[in-house]
Amino acid sequence: MPQTPPVKPYAQLRAETAGRDRSLHDKVVTLDAAAALIRDGEHVAIGGCMMSRTPSALIWALVRARRRNLTFSRSIVSSDGDIVFASGIAKKVITSWFSQGIVWGISRVMRAWTESGRAEFEEWSHMSMGLRYRAGAMGLPFMPTRSMMGSDVGRLRAGTTKDFVCPFTGEKLLLLPALNPDVAIIHVQRCDQFGNPQIDGLPFMDHDLALAAKRVILTTERIVSNDQIRRQPDQTAFPFFTVEAVAEVPYGSAPHECYGLYEPFFKHMDLFAEMTRADVEKGVEDYLKRFYFEPKSWTEYLDRLGLNDLLVATRAGRSIYDD
Amino acid sequence: MTSLLQRNYTSSELLAVMASRTLADGQTVFAGVGIPLLAATLAQRLHAPGITLLFEGGVLGPFIVPGELPPSTNEQRCTRRANMILPITDVLLLLQRGYVDIGFLGGAQIDRYGNINTSFIGDPAKPKTRLPGTGGGNDIASLAKIVVAMKHEKRRFVEKVDFITSPGFLSGGDSRARAGLPTGGMHKIVTDLAILGVDPASKKLRVEALHPGVAADQVRANTGFSIDFAPNATVTDLPTGRELEVLRQLDPAQLYTA
């Protein structure tokens, strides 16, 4: 299989940025319209990390729209990785760690899809993922690192990294290729109509993703006024002019967590693990049907998760602000 | 000799207690979820209150709430009473900058030079089992001194790992430094049978202490390669009532210590 996306020439990177409407303008769209902005074959970087601030609703919409041949990249993937493989929207995920979560053991879906060769999990170290996005965000073609050398993680990626001797110190370094995704999809707690995103809690790699990507599509728990953003500009996570569209989707990270609002829906995560345990192919197909294809709307999806689980997750989520 | 029947703790509890004792007050410890987090938190509650924990989700100096162990190091539960939260890349770069004393990992498979595999069982091109991968493990093992906590089984302690996810001392001697990794490396491996360290010259793992009631042959029988004993090898002290009590407060549901 072809290795990681090639580094974009600087002229192309600049041309893509130059083509963007940088004005403060209304970017509010529906969830389906947001998903329609992502095209078959694109490289989509997923914001958040593992079970946190996953843009679950947007991935849900991409699955329902039956996108094809997407490549996803993310710091760490959880059940979102299983979903993009099993639904057939992606053949490749570039990440550092891939399983639902340690307490559920190794992901059955990830195993079934990668071991059969239907899909590829391209592995990089966690810091390397971060430095690749950061190089992309800085408009540089690579980033030197002191990690990943000597290991087989490094050896497997040798076709796309470069051994390098520092011209100042003579030390051995590794050059990591910049990662400039076609689209970054990021879920935030609040955002205004112009795409000023505000994030509470863990920032993960989202700032670098937004700057590295050609386009950024946001989902937000709620849309707030521009005046409200301007009262706390220190909370704005990345520049509005990187953002192409924003959709308001309450509980848009469910069944994963959104800091301060809800924790992961643990019973639902147990259910997913349970359904994929015995017969993974049949189990994940049933899961997709029940939670991805049958519900007519995101509200109906949340309905299927259930009010009880939603309230348990919400109570735990809000408790982070308790003493 | 203590027989298994007389033991009032599980193997995982023994692991967590023994691992916690390898940490010293004032250290900065980069910890993964599970036994590493439990052990570091236990140390923090008992002999090393000044330990600063780092989580790769982007957390510096949190204080875990008993009974609310995080499911990974990337969720809001990890941020309880933290001194700082920061981007993932920046918390990992603290390793490269040299601010981390100990990296604390679990492992699926380890070899005689302390190389760890968490990526593939079998041939990487056609694996028998695809494992979850490195996460920050490769970065932590490349850039810091490492403590590993894992069960002592023959299938886990192998002559040569199928895949080096997190580098130990590679092929021994000075091979690690020559590969571009002049710092860090395997420091201690805590198992449910023994504590292993590293021979300073050959960089091979060696037994430095046996847990109470464990015979040397038991360690040899559960290790997939011939292993030496340090000349001054000792026997560890039994887990104390206080250590077990605090551990059980931290993980009352036995998520990680069953």
Side-chain angles (χ1 to χ4, degrees):
Chain A
M1 257 194 224
Q3 284 236 15
T4 217
V7 176
K8 281 186 185 177
Y10 189 50
Q12 183 189 343
L13 207 60
R14 288 295 296 259
E16 288 169 359
T17 311
R20 177 178 284 149
D21 177 356
R22 301 174 200 195
S23 67
L24 270 175
H25 63 275
D26 186 9
K27 298 170 183 173
V28 178
V29 297
T30 64
L31 179 58
D32 285 342
L37 294 168
I38 296 166
R39 294 179 284 272
D40 288 353
E42 287 195 308
H43 166 200
V44 182
I46 305 174
C49 179
M50 203 166 177
M51 284 185 288
S52 284
R53 271 194 309 97
T54 308
S56 304
L58 195 47
I59 294 170
W60 178 83
L62 289 171
V63 168
R64 290 157 63 88
R66 298 191 186 275
R67 279 295 160 282
R68 281 293 174 267
N69 294 320
L70 298 174
T71 292
F72 285 93
S73 66
R74 196 181 194 199
S75 56
I76 283 177
V77 296
S78 172
S79 54
D80 48 315
D82 293 336
I83 295 298
V84 301
F85 274 175
S87 65
I89 68 170
K91 289 213 174 83
K92 181 165 180 159
V93 170
I94 305 169
T95 190
S96 71
W97 200 87
F98 192 145
S99 265
Q100 187 179 334
I102 283 184
V103 288
W104 295 283
I106 309 168
S107 158
R108 303 301 200 283
V109 176
M110 179 278 284
R111 278 198 61 188
W113 259 256
T114 56
E115 289 169 18
S116 64
R118 273 176 286 182
E120 188 195 358
F121 156 21
E122 183 183 296
E123 182 176 337
W124 295 75
S125 80
H126 204 182
M127 190 169 84
S128 300
M129 288 300 300
L131 292 175
R132 294 188 66 198
Y133 288 130
R134 184 155 291 176
M138 291 170 71
L140 290 172
F142 63 83
M143 186 69 78
T145 181
R146 296 179 189 276
S147 188
M148 244 172 70
M149 289 181 285
S151 69
D152 289 326
V153 179
R155 189 179 52 78
L156 273 197
R157 304 275 80 87
T160 46
T161 61
K162 297 285 178 200
D163 296 337
F164 182 69
V165 176
C166 172
F168 298 103
T169 63
E171 292 166 308
K172 224 172 184 173
L173 299 169
L174 185 72
L175 304 187
L176 302 165
L179 202 51
N180 288 104
D182 295 311
V183 192
I185 57 174
I186 298 172
H187 185 72
V188 301
Q189 280 86 358
R190 60 194 170 276
C191 181
D192 69 5
Q193 60 173 319
F194 307 126
N196 277 298
Q198 295 198 332
I199 289 176
D200 297 327
L202 295 159
F204 302 118
M205 298 182 181
D206 291 354
H207 177 267
D208 289 331
L209 253 65
L211 271 292
K214 183 175 165 186
R215 294 155 24 236
V216 178
I217 299 173
L218 301 179
T219 53
T220 180
E221 290 289 328
R222 58 196 183 105
I223 295 204
V224 299
S225 72
N226 182 246
D227 283 342
Q228 184 167 340
I229 297 291
R230 288 173 193 263
R231 277 199 288 274
Q232 280 188 299
D234 56 316
Q235 292 293 297
T236 304
F238 42 86
F240 71 87
F241 46 65
T242 63
V243 175
E244 181 179 11
V246 54
E248 187 180 55
V249 190
Y251 288 91
S253 282
H256 293 177
E257 87 168 24
C258 188
Y259 195 101
L261 297 175
Y262 46 95
E263 279 203 340
F265 291 46
F266 286 110
K267 269 174 68 187
H268 185 83
M269 299 299 283
D270 289 343
L271 173 75
F272 180 70
E274 185 57 41
M275 284 182 76
T276 52
R277 187 162 292 134
D279 180 347
V280 59
E281 314 273 341
K282 170 87 168 59
V284 75
E285 192 188 321
D286 288 349
Y287 180 87
L288 286 170
K289 191 171 162 223
R290 185 163 147 201
F291 293 103
Y292 278 66
F293 292 114
E294 285 180 356
K296 291 187 180 61
S297 64
W298 183 250
T299 306
E300 239 183 67
Y301 164 83
L302 293 175
D303 209 18
R304 290 203 177 197
L305 293 189
L307 188 56
N308 188 64
D309 284 14
L310 187 139
L311 288 178
V312 168
T314 303
R315 190 171 290 129
R318 292 176 182 176
S319 75
I320 196 73
Y321 294 120
D322 297 345
D323 279 339
Chain B
M1 294 285 275
T2 315
S3 83
L4 280 173
L5 287 172
Q6 291 169 313
R7 277 177 27 167
N8 60 343
Y9 46 83
T10 67
S11 293
S12 299
E13 286 177 332
L14 178 69
L15 261 184
V17 167
M18 293 300 174
S20 79
R21 293 180 187 169
T22 65
L23 303 176
D25 203 14
Q27 286 180 323
T28 51
V29 179
F30 213 106
V33 80
I35 296 285
L37 171 59
L38 264 181
T41 305
L42 181 60
Q44 209 175 36
R45 303 266 166 164
L46 294 176
H47 67 275
I51 280 180
T52 297
L53 284 174
L54 296 167
F55 294 146
E56 68 182 274
V59 188
L60 193 156
F63 211 61
I64 296 304
V65 175
E68 279 187 33
L69 291 173
S72 84
T73 55
N74 311 292
E75 276 81 39
Q76 67 171 33
R77 285 187 190 187
C78 305
T79 66
R80 281 278 188 193
R81 297 183 61 201
N83 286 272
M84 182 186 186
I85 53 184
L86 66 169
I88 289 173
T89 310
D90 296 290
V91 78
L92 287 163
L93 282 169
L94 292 172
L95 290 156
Q96 187 164 284
R97 184 63 182 86
Y99 276 108
V100 179
D101 294 309
I102 297 286
F104 203 155
L105 304 171
Q109 202 185 42
I110 192 165
D111 70 16
R112 67 158 72 247
Y113 294 110
N115 302 303
I116 299 172
N117 175 18
T118 55
S119 299
F120 300 92
I121 301 296
D123 176 6
K126 191 106 186 64
K128 188 169 147 286
T129 308
R130 184 54 161 115
L131 302 174
T134 151
N138 176 281
D139 305 309
I140 297 167
S142 295
L143 298 163
K145 243 163 74 172
I146 299 303
V147 173
V148 172
M150 62 191 285
K151 293 265 167 71
H152 208 129
E153 297 167 1
K154 208 165 186 167
R155 66 187 181 99
R156 293 178 183 275
F157 283 79
V158 297
E159 173 77 37
K160 196 172 182 319
V161 286
D162 295 337
F163 187 89
I164 299 179
T165 307
S166 302
F169 286 102
L170 299 179
S171 55
D174 64 349
S175 58
R176 179 181 166 99
R178 277 190 285 110
L181 306 173
T183 63
M186 192 52 67
H187 177 53
K188 300 283 177 207
I189 297 151
V190 180
T191 80
D192 48 340
L193 299 181
I195 301 201
L196 315 183
V198 176
D199 178 84
S202 71
K203 304 294 185 193
K204 283 181 186 165
L205 303 189
R206 62 179 190 182
V207 178
E208 292 187 341
L210 294 169
H211 295 325
V214 175
D217 277 349
Q218 208 178 331
V219 171
R220 289 193 191 97
N222 286 286
T223 306
F225 50 89
S226 65
I227 188 157
D228 291 335
F229 283 66
N232 53 351
T234 55
V235 175
T236 58
D237 295 326
L238 279 168
T240 66
R242 181 78 185 127
E243 284 170 323
L244 293 170
E245 185 193 344
V246 173
L247 191 58
R248 286 164 191 167
Q249 282 166 8
L250 292 173
D251 188 15
Q254 294 203 298
L255 272 180
Y256 301 109
T257 49

